[in-house]
Amino acid sequence: MRHLMSPLDFTVEELEHLMDLATDIEHHRDAYAHICDGKKIATLFYEPSTRTRLSFETAMLNLGGSVIGFSSAASSSAAKGESVSDTIRMVSCYADICAMRHPKEGAPLVASEKSRIPVINAGDGGHQHPTQTITDLHTIRSLKGRLTNLTIGLCGDLKFGRTVHSLIHALARYENISFILISPDELRIPDYIREEVLDARQIPYKEVSNLDDVMNEMDILYMTRVQRERFFNEEEYIRLKDCYILDAAKMSLAKDDMLVLHPLPRVNEISTEVDDDPRAVYFQQVQYGVYARMALILILLQLDPLAAS
Ligand code: NCD
């Protein structure tokens, strides 16, 4: 039985296969409409979410399966003091697969150790968010045609943004990738990612604080929200929250084929005037996320019709 805790749990080849499957699903929706008949996904969300939870639920419903779960710690037995390990043992009796989001780093990993069903990390604190990364990779591959030879700008809260951490881990495995890390000093990428991923793999990168200066260098601009819920101090959040606002003037400095991604939710960091720019693909990204999660569910349930037999 396999779980998904980090994007690195899948090899590059396995991820390629997952994305091929996601593309096949996109083009043959009817062929997949009943593949999970009778199966259930449990979405155990101890932290707020709109997209990710609904994306998992939509993915399972699209496959013919059904959904159980909770959308906040307050509405689950966690409020009574139940441990994640006990919850997953119980859920293993109800569902065939589960997606868990938790504010504590490592909670889904703890759950996976006691689980009888595959556990998917749907975001653990400021740590990792592997299914967002699979979504991001699939979006880039579908719209750019490649995951190699790219200059990728990551902008905003690089310290607390788990989507950024997972994406750097995953993209660092592809050929000829370089990163431009755009953040205020206070929100720079954590040292462990700089040392264990970028330096260890000798990936070219630079850290800058001015977005305008690098707009024309990027193939992908990945914008992120300042992660208010992970700040210790509200004043610090207020000081930093609008540090970058992508607007039409900035977009005019970018390459004609640069893509703007964002894991969403957006707060102020992308002006709504950018939404109509054909390079803004953050809502398409949401759709690609459903196909990618459908493919992931099939693989983890060993129902992948494209698997080599
Ligand atoms: C992200 C998350 O939860 O980390 N959202 C998402 O899953 N699409 C990004 C964020 O909350 O800023």
Side-chain angles (χ1 to χ4, degrees), residues 16 35 37 52 59 68 80 83 89 100 115 129 144 179 183 185 194-195 208 214 222 226 239 242 272 278 286 293 303:
E16 289 292 311
I35 222 164
D37 278 1
T52 305
I68 58 171
K80 300 182 191 166
S83 69
R89 282 185 187 154
M100 178 182 286
S115 180
H129 193 343
K144 273 269 178 223
F179 292 106
S183 75
D185 232 23
R194 198 178 303 107
E195 289 159 16
V208 301
V214 293
Y222 193 90
V226 176
R239 191 169 62 77
D242 292 328
T272 51
V286 174
R293 290 188 176 92
L303 293 172

Side-chain angles (χ1 to χ4, degrees), residues 291-302:
Y291 300 133
R293 290 188 176 92
M294 289 170 78
L296 176 66
I297 290 170
L298 290 179
I299 290 170
L300 294 180
L301 288 178
Q302 300 179 357

Side-chain angles (χ1 to χ4, degrees), residues 12-300:
V12 169
E13 292 71 30
E14 286 172 327
L15 278 179
E16 289 292 311
H17 177 79
L18 185 151
M19 291 185 271
D20 287 344
L21 179 58
T23 302
D24 196 64
I25 291 169
E26 178 184 352
H27 295 124
H28 305 98
R29 289 283 295 269
D30 290 352
Y32 290 86
H34 294 289
I35 222 164
C36 284
D37 278 1
K39 301 282 183 201
K40 287 192 214 74
I41 189 166
T43 51
L44 311 180
F45 277 61
Y46 294 83
E47 213 188 37
S49 163
T50 310
R51 230 156 331 274
T52 305
R53 186 170 56 81
L54 295 184
S55 181
F56 273 112
E57 297 186 359
T58 303
M60 190 48 136
L61 295 171
N62 287 348
L63 293 166
S66 49
V67 175
I68 58 171
F70 53 81
S71 57
S72 74
S75 66
S76 79
S77 281
K80 300 182 191 166
E82 185 173 55
S83 69
V84 159
S85 303
D86 281 4
T87 302
I88 195 71
R89 282 185 187 154
M90 181 267 299
V91 169
S92 293
C93 304
Y94 298 157
D96 302 283
I97 186 165
C98 113
M100 178 182 286
R101 168 168 292 189
H102 204 285
K104 284 217 178 85
E105 287 81 2
L109 180 66
V110 170
S112 71
E113 286 162 358
K114 294 285 188 270
S115 180
R116 288 194 286 110
I117 58 174
V119 177
I120 301 167
N121 176 5
D124 62 328
H127 187 218
Q128 296 265 9
H129 193 343
T131 63
Q132 183 64 46
T133 295
I134 292 171
T135 299
D136 302 338
L137 296 179
H138 184 49
T139 305
I140 297 170
R141 195 178 84 141
S142 299
L143 297 176
K144 273 269 178 223
R146 63 179 198 278
L147 287 166
T148 54
N149 306 313
L150 293 168
T151 299
I152 295 159
L154 299 149
C155 177
D157 187 345
L158 309 187
K159 179 178 180 186
F160 296 115
R162 57 194 172 194
T163 60
V164 167
H165 304 161
S166 286
L167 188 57
I168 293 177
H169 272 103
L171 280 169
R173 298 193 292 184
Y174 292 87
E175 293 285 307
N176 203 12
I177 292 291
S178 61
F179 292 106
I180 305 179
L181 306 172
I182 309 143
S183 75
D185 232 23
E186 296 85 343
L187 298 178
R188 285 170 62 192
I189 204 90
D191 288 342
Y192 79 92
I193 293 191
R194 198 178 303 107
E195 289 159 16
E196 291 169 25
V197 186
L198 299 172
D199 293 341
R201 287 178 164 267
Q202 297 180 311
I203 313 277
Y205 72 93
K206 60 180 175 185
E207 295 188 272
V208 301
S209 56
N210 189 311
L211 177 56
D212 284 26
D213 290 351
V214 293
M215 274 310 285
N216 65 352
E217 297 174 36
M218 297 178 282
D219 300 306
I220 306 287
L221 171 56
Y222 193 90
M223 292 297 295
T224 63
R225 162 182 82 87
V226 176
Q227 305 277 301
R228 177 181 203 160
E229 65 277 33
R230 312 218 190 276
F231 276 73
F232 288 114
N233 172 338
E234 180 76 3
E235 274 162 38
E236 178 92 333
Y237 166 73
I238 290 167
R239 191 169 62 77
L240 293 170
K241 72 182 171 67
D242 292 328
C243 51
Y244 300 102
I245 299 179
L246 183 66
D247 57 14
K250 286 191 170 45
M251 287 299 287
S252 72
L253 305 172
K255 290 183 188 172
D256 291 342
D257 62 351
M258 184 191 78
L259 298 181
V260 183
L261 277 73
H262 190 308
L264 304 177
R266 152 180 57 188
V267 187
N268 280 332
E269 59 280 355
I270 303 180
S271 159
T272 51
E273 69 188 17
V274 176
D275 296 357
D276 295 328
D277 189 308
R279 294 168 293 181
V281 298
Y282 28 90
F283 292 113
Q284 276 166 271
Q285 196 179 345
V286 174
Q287 182 66 65
Y288 283 117
V290 175
Y291 300 133
R293 290 188 176 92
M294 289 170 78
L296 176 66
I297 290 170
L298 290 179
I299 290 170
L300 294 180

